[in-house]
Every structure is written in C-alpha cells, then in structure tokens.
Amino acid sequence: MTNVALALGSGGARGWAHIGVLQVLSERGYRVTSLAGTSVGSLVGGMYAAGHLDAFTEWVLTLSQRDVLRLFDVGLGIPGAMKLERVMAKVNEFLGDVRIEELPLPFTAVATDLVARREVWFQEGPLNVAIRASIAIPSVITPIAFKGRLLVDGGVLNPVPLAPLNSSLADVTVAVSLSGRTLTRPAPVLPGTDVEAEAGHEPEMPVRPQSELVDRIRGIAAGVVESGRNTISRFLPDEVERAFDDAPSAVSLLDVTTMSLDTVSSLITRYRLAGSPPDVLIELPANTCGMLEFHRAAELIAHGRRLTTVALDALEGVAPPALAHPDVPPTSHDAGTSA
C-alpha cells in the first residue's frame, strides 16, 4: 500500500471536491498517513482524520439551498457577514471533544494571525477550534480571537499547505488546489458519475443561480456600497465622477470579495508550489462553482473523483480515458519541500 502525505487547499464550497479525492485515494489502495488542510480543506481533512468523513458526506449530500441558508447566521455590526455558530454546532455533533494529538494520523489545520501577519499551524488542541480558525474567510466569516491572536482563514497566506508535511515519510505527496485556471467549458467527468458529460457536447460554462443566502448578503452589501458612494460623490468633482463607469449591476460586494480572494489565492499557490512542487497536483478550476454554493456537493464530489482518477492514472502510467478534455489542467508534477 502506498503511503500519502496529503495537502487539502482552500476554496469555499469547491472544497467538497476533497471528499471525492479521499474516496478515490482509498479505493485505489493509497493510505493517507499525514494530512494538512487550509480552510475547507481543514474541515474535510479533520473529518477524515477523526474517522467521520462518511457520515459527514452523507449529511452534506442532503443539503439544499434552503438548508445552507438556515445554517448561515448573517448579521450586521460584526467583523464578517456570518458568525458561523450554527455550522460549528453541526460540526461539533460529528467531532465532539476530540483533540488533534489524539487523531490516528498527524494532522495540521492552517490559519492566519492578522496581528503577527504569519501562519498558525494547529497540531494539537481541540480539533473543532482549529477548524473554526482555519475557515474564517475574511469579510465573509467572522475571525476568532484565540490565545491573544486574531485568526482568519489560512488561505490568506497558505492556500495549499504543503509545508506542514515536510517531515512526513510518505511515499507520495499529493496536493489539492481549488484555485486552478478557469475553464470556459465544464470539463467532463468519468462514465458512471452523476454528472457525466454527453459525448461531443461542450456547452459554455453556465451561469449558476445564486442561493437566497447570497441574495441576502448582496442586499446588505448593496446598502453599504450605496452609502459609501453617496459620501464619496460629495468630494469628487463632476468631471472626475463622470470619467468612471458604473460597476456591472450583477456584481456585488460579496462577488468582489470572493473574486479578490480567489485571485490572491491563485497567485500565492503558483509561487509556493513552484518552489515546493508535490509529486501529484490535483487542480479544480476556480470557476467550478461559487464560494457559498455548498448545496452542490454531489457534483463537486464527482469532480474531485474525476480529477483524482486522472492524476493517479498519470502517476501510475495508465493511459488517459477517452473522455479526457483539452481544457483540463495538468494534474501531476515532480518533487517535495518545507517551511
């Protein structure tokens, strides 16, 4: 059996693809012996390390848009759009009081300390606290104060956490990035999955309807933006104000925030992986789904399974499947590294 050191990256709802990655690794005889996760990667990775991924997967597959809306506690006057207390209550139902040092394999959850401007690696202590710190997407989810630190999403500094795996004695290092280059067409999946592509059918990337949650956040953001615009316009000469076009009406403050985070994440990931490439790199395109579309679990798990199958086939020298898509990014690289 091949031992794997696995790094699971940040990317909001796209992180459900990590579930498909872990499923295929297990089915193909790969054993994860060390694991590091950032943001949603810490959530899925923590569930796996604690032995609760199957039950957790059953739950996320039941989520509808309305269920996601009920889980997210949107509010005003807080340093983020959501407190995430309901989500963490559900996470605690699965994890209980388990501590990281009690897990059967080495696990690291990566967060970012805004005051010290550095990464924080949780390698001991309560697993649920580590996950909550790691998933605090700036402006979207409130940060947490912990032991004198103000902690937010680990993806701010380390979107794909390979460095914590440097001391691993695994046979293969696998990294999963959720900010791969965007596709103009959806990539096909392998036969037998729920979202199998039709032969010869290559539609343009569809525009997905947003959830009620996104609509609510957009409404709050629109009020803030309009207030700011009215204030700014009082200080701008008319000729300067007229020099700028209005932003597209469909683009909200939430959209700008998430697109900015994805842009920075993609750049940081490229630089860090160039200096420390894994043996296998699995990349999910950044425009596969919106950051908050957590109701699309079945589709995203299927994408994770497809990409992992292609990557492992390349690693093992297996011929690519007939459905290989010309727009699918490369999935394997050479080598390893540190922090």
Side-chain angles (χ1 to χ4, degrees):
M1 181 173 283
T2 302
N3 293 332
V4 172
L6 180 64
L8 299 179
S10 60
R14 297 191 298 274
W16 291 159
H18 291 323
I19 296 173
V21 173
L22 286 160
Q23 289 174 345
V24 172
L25 285 172
S26 177
E27 292 165 6
R28 296 279 287 259
Y30 292 81
R31 181 175 61 184
V32 177
T33 53
S34 57
L35 202 161
T38 290
S39 193
V40 68
S42 74
L43 172 60
V44 174
M47 289 293 174
Y48 174 85
H52 300 300
L53 185 61
D54 288 345
F56 182 72
T57 301
E58 289 180 14
W59 175 65
V60 301
L61 285 170
T62 69
L63 292 177
S64 65
Q65 287 191 20
R66 182 56 61 89
D67 293 328
V68 173
L69 174 61
R70 289 178 180 141
L71 281 170
F72 287 162
D73 35 17
V74 179
L76 291 174
I78 55 176
M82 294 172 280
K83 294 181 288 185
L84 225 61
E85 291 175 355
R86 296 173 194 160
V87 171
M88 289 310 300
K90 188 65 182 181
V91 168
N92 292 340
E93 288 181 20
F94 290 101
L95 297 180
D97 298 325
V98 66
R99 297 179 63 86
I100 295 173
E101 61 268 29
E102 297 169 350
L103 298 174
L105 73 163
F107 174 78
T108 304
V110 179
T112 300
D113 184 341
L114 289 181
V115 177
R117 300 181 181 180
R118 58 181 294 178
E119 293 175 39
V120 175
W121 293 1
F122 284 88
Q123 295 178 321
E124 60 182 22
L127 178 57
N128 55 359
V129 171
I131 290 172
R132 175 60 180 86
S134 184
I135 63 177
I137 304 169
S139 298
V140 180
I141 298 170
T142 55
I144 65 167
F146 183 72
K147 294 186 176 180
R149 294 169 168 162
L150 185 63
L151 301 176
V152 297
D153 196 299
V156 170
L157 292 178
N158 196 349
V160 183
L162 278 167
L165 303 174
N166 285 337
S167 61
S168 171
L169 300 177
D171 304 310
V172 176
T173 301
V174 176
V176 185
S177 169
L178 305 177
S179 57
R181 69 183 180 87
T182 59
L183 304 181
T184 57
R185 294 171 294 181
V189 296
L190 296 178
T193 64
D194 292 337
V195 285
E196 180 180 344
E198 297 179 21
H201 180 56
E202 297 178 343
E204 293 299 311
M205 184 67 75
V207 177
R208 300 284 181 177
Q210 294 293 330
S211 68
E212 294 179 42
L213 168 67
V214 174
D215 289 339
R216 284 180 60 185
I217 296 176
R218 280 181 167 170
I220 294 170
V224 174
V225 171
E226 187 60 32
S227 174
R229 180 182 310 193
N230 292 338
T231 301
I232 292 170
S233 65
R234 293 201 299 270
F235 300 97
L236 285 177
D238 290 344
E239 60 271 19
V240 174
E241 190 175 3
R242 285 195 297 271
F244 299 99
D245 296 329
D246 288 336
S249 59
V251 177
S252 71
L253 179 59
L254 176 64
D255 295 323
V256 173
T257 299
T258 57
M259 290 166 68
S260 299
L261 291 171
D262 279 339
T263 300
V264 173
S265 175
S266 177
L267 180 64
I268 294 174
T269 298
R270 287 203 303 272
Y271 274 105
R272 296 194 72 143
L273 293 184
S276 172
D279 298 309
V280 176
L281 174 61
I282 299 170
E283 294 184 288
L284 187 75
N287 64 339
T288 302
C289 77
M291 182 177 286
L292 300 179
E293 294 184 306
F294 289 96
H295 59 282
R296 295 174 58 188
E299 177 184 350
L300 291 161
I301 291 171
H303 279 306
R305 291 183 60 86
R306 173 186 61 80
L307 291 169
T308 307
T309 298
V310 172
L312 295 182
D313 284 349
L315 179 69
E316 298 167 4
V318 178
L323 276 175
H325 194 286
D327 275 349
V328 174
T331 51
S332 63
H333 290 252
D334 303 302
T337 271
S338 140

